[in-house]
Amino acid sequence: MFFPQSLETAACTDRWLIWFCERLHSTTESSSLENQSVTDHSLHYELQDSSFFVRRGYIRKYFGAWFKEALNNISSLLKSEGLSRLYRGLLPPLIMRTSSRALMFGMYDELQSSLSCPHSPPNSSFTICHAQAAFLAGLCEASLCPLERVQVLLQTSAYHDQFKNTGQILGALKIYGVREYYRGLSVILARNSLSNTLFFTLKEPFKKAVMDTHPPINNSLMQLVADFMSGAILGATISTIFFPMNVVKNHIQSKVRIM
């Protein structure tokens, strides 16, 4: 474990060494420009190397310690509770990921046809019609809220001894009524509908921009690369934007029968 006082003291010491080396580095550089001597140049590079190694040692020291602490925590968890605890709550996300993706893309395509949206491609998906289809598809995807609820409860340490698996949680929540299965539904509705709207309306324009930046040497390969880049970058960006909503949702769903 780290103690803030000792960490701050060590950090200040290393920062002072870095400053000292850089100060000598800048002084030597000025001297070398004035004197144009081989000795000054050699000293300049020696001091530059020393500053580099001090920086490198600083980074390795603290990042290595943080990494070691994470490994120690995993090791202690494995020894005390076993490998199964690391995979606690695995079943709900496995079901949810496959079902939610099928539901999201399937409902989006179906709603595009129902709303008579211009087919994309070749037309742009950056339209009100496509935004409406994506928004409604996100609302439909929120029907999987009970699976997210079960996953959060399985991974909440306060319930490790009370709930052992998915079936046990579903049975325990039954006595509190249907409402308990859908705790946090309002946050999920907002997250899914808005994130779907951004993803589906921006995916095709982003893909087209990627295609336009590079001449299509191999059209099929370029299509694959553009699809991957547009999906990956948009997915990462949208997930980052809506991450606070996931924090709020997890906080709401980690409680049982507390209004």
Side-chain angles (χ1 to χ4, degrees):
M1 295 296 294
F2 297 108
F3 299 95
Q5 186 176 1
S6 61
L7 178 61
E8 183 179 357
T9 303
C12 289
T13 304
D14 284 350
R15 282 198 296 269
W16 184 87
L17 288 172
I18 293 171
W19 173 86
F20 178 74
C21 288
E22 288 181 341
R23 188 72 175 174
L24 288 176
H25 174 203
S26 61
T27 303
T28 309
E29 185 177 8
S30 300
S31 178
S32 64
L33 290 174
E34 292 176 0
N35 300 326
Q36 298 293 323
S37 64
V38 176
T39 305
D40 289 336
H41 279 290
S42 62
L43 181 59
H44 163 79
Y45 289 116
E46 288 175 5
L47 292 171
Q48 187 178 21
D49 290 342
S50 67
S51 177
F52 167 76
F53 284 117
V54 170
R55 289 181 183 275
R56 184 178 179 184
Y58 175 79
I59 293 172
R60 290 182 61 186
K61 179 179 178 180
Y62 292 106
F63 279 93
W66 291 334
F67 182 69
K68 184 178 179 181
E69 183 182 17
L71 289 179
N72 288 337
N73 288 335
I74 294 174
S75 177
S76 62
L77 184 64
L78 286 173
K79 290 178 181 178
S80 61
E81 302 180 6
L83 183 64
S84 61
R85 185 57 61 89
L86 291 178
Y87 288 92
R88 187 180 179 89
L90 178 64
L91 181 60
L94 282 178
I95 300 173
M96 187 173 59
R97 289 292 177 267
T98 54
S99 303
S100 64
R101 293 298 176 264
L103 188 61
M104 180 177 70
F105 285 98
M107 289 302 300
Y108 176 68
D109 288 337
E110 189 66 29
L111 289 165
Q112 277 190 99
S113 302
S114 300
L115 296 173
S116 301
C117 299
H119 194 271
S120 171
N123 299 297
S124 175
S125 63
F126 195 69
T127 65
I128 297 296
C129 185
H130 289 90
Q132 290 175 338
F135 186 89
L136 294 173
L139 296 182
C140 296
E141 188 186 354
S143 61
L144 300 174
C145 174
L147 291 174
E148 293 195 49
R149 171 80 159 126
V150 171
Q151 179 187 358
V152 171
L153 287 177
L154 281 173
Q155 294 178 344
T156 301
S157 58
Y159 299 107
H160 280 179
D161 296 329
Q162 185 176 352
F163 301 129
K164 301 298 182 183
N165 52 57
T166 301
Q168 189 178 2
I169 291 181
L170 292 174
L173 294 179
K174 186 178 180 181
I175 63 175
Y176 301 120
V178 178
R179 183 178 180 181
E180 198 66 24
Y181 291 107
Y182 289 90
R183 180 185 287 269
L185 178 63
S186 58
V187 181
I188 294 175
L189 285 171
R191 180 199 65 188
N192 288 0
S193 57
L194 295 176
S195 61
N196 275 16
T197 302
L198 289 175
F199 180 80
F200 283 111
T201 54
L202 296 177
K203 188 174 184 296
E204 285 301 327
F206 194 95
K207 177 183 174 181
K208 187 176 183 302
V210 174
M211 295 283 291
D212 291 341
T213 56
H214 300 282
I217 302 173
N218 187 332
N219 192 47
S220 60
L221 179 61
M222 196 61 202
Q223 287 276 354
L224 181 63
V225 172
D227 276 327
F228 174 78
M229 289 184 64
S230 60
I233 295 175
L234 276 177
T237 304
I238 292 171
S239 297
T240 303
I241 293 172
F242 290 97
F243 184 79
M245 298 186 75
N246 278 329
V247 175
V248 174
K249 187 264 303 179
N250 289 341
H251 180 72
I252 294 172
Q253 292 186 332
S254 63
K255 299 175 176 61
V256 177
R257 208 183 180 185
I258 299 176
M259 306 309 294

